[in-house]
C-alpha cells in the first residue's frame, strides 16, 4: 500500500484520514493515511524521514504550512504566492514538491457545490492571517469586481492587499474604517471564531442577495454564521465543504483521479452531528 499522512500539531481532530480513505474507496486506490502529531521543532526531520522510508505524500496543517513551503524545492505558482504548502510529495527525480489546495477548495465549494458566484461580485474578507494568504490567488482568479480585506491589525491587511494587487482590485482597512458599502460575498477567516467570538461588523454591509462563508466548521453554526443569519444573509455556509474539496485536490495531485466530494461531505456532516 502507498503510505500518506497529515502532519500537524495539534492533530487529534483531523478528519483527513477519514476523507482520504473514502476517496480511496471510491477510486479503487489502495492506501494507508494517518494523522501524525509532529513536535514543533521536529518538522523538517519528520518530513525527510517519512519520504526516506518510502512515504508517498503528506498533507501539512497548522502550524507547519509555512515551514513546508520553505522546505520544498519546487513550489506550484499558487503555493509560491501563498508561501504556504498543504501538500507535499517527492517526484521521480527525488525532488520535494509542494502545492497548496486550500484556495481551490474554497472556490470549488462556493461555486460548484453551493452555486454561488464570485465573478463580478464585491467580496469582503474578514481577517488577514495565513488562511487568507492561502486562498487569495485562486479567489482573485475568479475575477471578483473587488476584494476588501478587513483586519484588526490594519498593516497585515495592507500587506496582503499590496502583495496580491497584481491579480485585481484589493483594498484594506481596520474594522472601524469599514466603509458603509455593501458586499455580495463575505468570507470569514478570523480565528477569533474558534472561541465563539466575532469582530463587530456593521449590519448594513449585507444586501438582499449576499452570501456569507465561514472557513471554520463545526457541529453548531459558528458565531459568524449566526450573525449572518440574524442579518438576513441570502445564503450561509460553514467551511466543511472546503475541507473536503481541498482534500480532493490533494488527492488529485497525488493520484491523478478526481473523487466525488458530495457523498463525503454528507458523510462528514453526519459524523459531526
Ligand atoms: P490563520 O491561519 O487562521 O489565518 P492567523 O495567521 O493567526 O491564523 O490569523 C488569525 C486572524 O484572526 C488574523 O486576521 C487575526 O487578526 P490580527 O492580524 O489583527 O491578529 C484575527 N484574530 C484573531 N483573534 C482575534 C480577535 N480576538 N479579534 C480580532 N481579530 C482576531
Amino acid at each position: 500500500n502507498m503510505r500518506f499522512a497529515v502532519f500537524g500539531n495539534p492533530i487529534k481532530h483531523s478528519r483527513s484520514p477519514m476523507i482520504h480513505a473514502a476517496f480511496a474507496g471510491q477510486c479503487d486506490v489502495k492506501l494507508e493515511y494517518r494523522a501524525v502529531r509532529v513536535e514543533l521543532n521536529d518538522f523538517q526531520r519528520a518530513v525527510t524521514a517519512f519520504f526516506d522510508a518510502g512515504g508517498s505524500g503528506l498533507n501539512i496543517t497548522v502550524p507547519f504550512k509555512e515551514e513546508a513551503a520553505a522546505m520544498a524545492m519546487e513550489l506550484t505558482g499558487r503555493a509560491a504566492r501563498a508561501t504556504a504548502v498543504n501538500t507535499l510529495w517527492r517526484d521521480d527525480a527525488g525532488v520535494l514538491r509542494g502545492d497548496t489546495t486550500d484556495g481551490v477548495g474554497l472556490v470549488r465549494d462556493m461555486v460548484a457545490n453551493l452555486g454561488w458566484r464570485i465573478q463580478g461580485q464585491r467580496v469582503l474578507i474578514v481577517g488577514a492571517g495565513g488562511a487568507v494568504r492561502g486562498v487569495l490567488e485562486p479567489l482573485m482568479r475568479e475575477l471578483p469586481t473587488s476584494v476588501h480585506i478587513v483586519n484588526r491589525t490594519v498593516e497585515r491587511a495592507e500587506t496582503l492587499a499590496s502583495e496580491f494587487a497584481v491579480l485585481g482590485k484589493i483594498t484594506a482597512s481596520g474594522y472601524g474604517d469599514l466603509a458603509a458599502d455593501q458586499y455580495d460575498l463575505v468570507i470569514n477567516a478570523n480565528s477569533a471564531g474558534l472561541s465563539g467570538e466575532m469582530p463587530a461588523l456593521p449590519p448594513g454591509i449585507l444586501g438582499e442577495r449576499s452570501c456569507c462563508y465561514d472557513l471554520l466548521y463545526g457541529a453548531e453554526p459558528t458565531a459568524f454564521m449566526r450573525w449572518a443569519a440574524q442579518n438576513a444573509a441570502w445564503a450561509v455556509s460553514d467551511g466543511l465543504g472546503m475541507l473536503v474539496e481541498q482534500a480532493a485536490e490533494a488527492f488529485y495531485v497525488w493520484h491523478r483521479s478526481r473523487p466525488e466530494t458530495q457523498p463525503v461531505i454528507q458523510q462528514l456532516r453526519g459524523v459531526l452531528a
Side-chain angles (χ1 to χ4, degrees):
N1 282 10
M2 288 192 284
R3 289 193 300 111
F4 296 85
V6 56
F7 281 6
N9 189 340
I11 200 67
K12 252 214 228 93
H13 300 293
S14 174
R15 309 286 176 181
S16 294
M18 186 184 153
I19 296 171
H20 280 270
F23 290 165
Q26 271 186 41
C27 299
D28 221 10
V29 173
K30 294 258 181 291
L31 61 79
E32 174 189 305
Y33 189 113
R34 300 188 348 189
V36 179
R37 181 177 172 278
V38 173
E39 294 305 325
L40 297 182
N41 59 2
D42 196 38
F43 178 72
Q44 299 212 7
R45 190 209 57 81
V47 168
T48 304
F50 176 84
F51 287 111
D52 284 350
S56 294
L58 284 178
N59 282 133
I60 307 299
T61 187
V62 176
F64 298 121
K65 289 182 184 182
E66 287 77 21
E67 210 175 337
M71 201 183 163
M73 304 292 288
E74 295 279 352
L75 295 176
T76 60
R78 62 194 183 191
R81 184 96 63 185
T83 58
V85 151
N86 75 346
T87 305
L88 280 173
W89 69 101
R90 265 190 195 161
D91 68 14
D92 295 338
V95 174
L96 186 66
R97 294 185 173 263
D99 194 3
T100 181
T101 64
D102 290 330
V104 171
L106 171 65
V107 166
R108 269 200 201 125
D109 193 38
M110 288 194 292
V111 175
N113 296 340
L114 297 165
W116 298 1
R117 275 166 54 103
I118 301 172
Q119 186 175 10
Q121 306 293 292
R122 296 159 300 177
V123 179
L124 175 66
I125 299 178
V126 181
V132 176
R133 177 179 292 278
V135 302
L136 263 176
E137 167 160 342
L139 197 68
M140 296 307 291
R141 298 241 178 261
E142 297 296 306
L143 305 178
T145 300
S146 60
V147 170
H148 185 76
I149 305 174
V150 62
N151 197 47
R152 176 177 60 183
T153 312
V154 183
E155 197 188 358
R156 250 181 134 187
E158 284 168 346
T159 302
L160 280 183
S162 64
E163 240 176 86
F164 286 82
V166 289
L167 299 175
K169 181 174 179 241
I170 315 187
T171 51
S173 77
Y175 290 98
D177 296 318
L178 197 54
D181 296 335
Q182 288 194 341
Y183 297 93
D184 307 302
L185 179 58
V186 182
I187 300 170
N188 183 45
N190 191 306
S191 64
L194 290 170
S195 41
E197 290 165 53
M198 154 110 194
L201 296 174
I205 61 174
L206 298 185
E208 257 169 43
R209 301 268 285 184
S210 297
C211 296
C212 292
Y213 193 100
D214 199 333
L215 300 195
L216 295 176
Y217 65 90
E220 305 293 333
T222 64
F224 171 73
M225 291 168 74
R226 291 197 306 270
W227 172 87
Q230 278 157 15
N231 290 280
W234 186 64
V236 180
S237 178
D238 70 3
L240 187 69
M242 171 183 173
L243 174 76
V244 175
E245 292 296 340
Q246 64 76 26
E249 182 72 8
F251 192 90
Y252 178 76
V253 167
W254 292 328
H255 305 288
R256 290 291 141 188
S257 39
R258 288 204 181 276
E260 294 259 10
T261 50
Q262 218 43 261
V264 181
I265 294 172
Q266 300 309 326
Q267 184 188 345
L268 262 185
R269 198 57 86 188
V271 171
L272 280 186

